[in-house]
Amino acid sequence: MNFPEYWQAFLSANELVGASACVDEERDLSGLGVELTFLTEAQAHEELTLYWPGIGVAADGYIPVASCSVGSGDYYYINGNDGAKGPLFRIYHDSVGPQGYDPSEAIAKIFENYEAILNYVER
């Protein structure tokens, strides 16, 4: 697994690897709020190939890009099928398994355009 070039460029240009972001409930489209830490490509590869929900959503184009920094076990994803500036999603770790998943229950949109996260990065 490789990050798409546009995601690699986004991470690099904004020095995001290892950075954190915090979004309040009102600005997160799912209404839950977000506390995340951006992944390295190696961490993303591990989540996508060794763990759920990554294993279960990989075939649908989802790519893990950040983990929850407060310990929920949920990861944040982009979908490679959406291309540059696509949405940022949260995929609930307990809603995807060997039996499959219901996208309406397992996936929540955080932002329409993942670049919106830049407004919340903590430096």
Side-chain angles (χ1 to χ4, degrees), residues 62 75-77 79 82 87-91 107-110:
Y62 290 96
Y75 277 73
Y76 296 86
Y77 290 74
N79 190 305
D82 293 327
L88 179 67
F89 303 95
R90 173 190 298 107
I91 299 184
I107 302 171
K109 190 180 292 183
I110 306 303

Side-chain angles (χ1 to χ4, degrees), residues 108-122:
K109 190 180 292 183
I110 306 303
F111 292 121
E112 292 290 342
N113 177 336
Y114 61 73
E115 290 183 346
I117 198 71
L118 291 176
N119 296 319
Y120 307 96
V121 172
E122 300 169 340

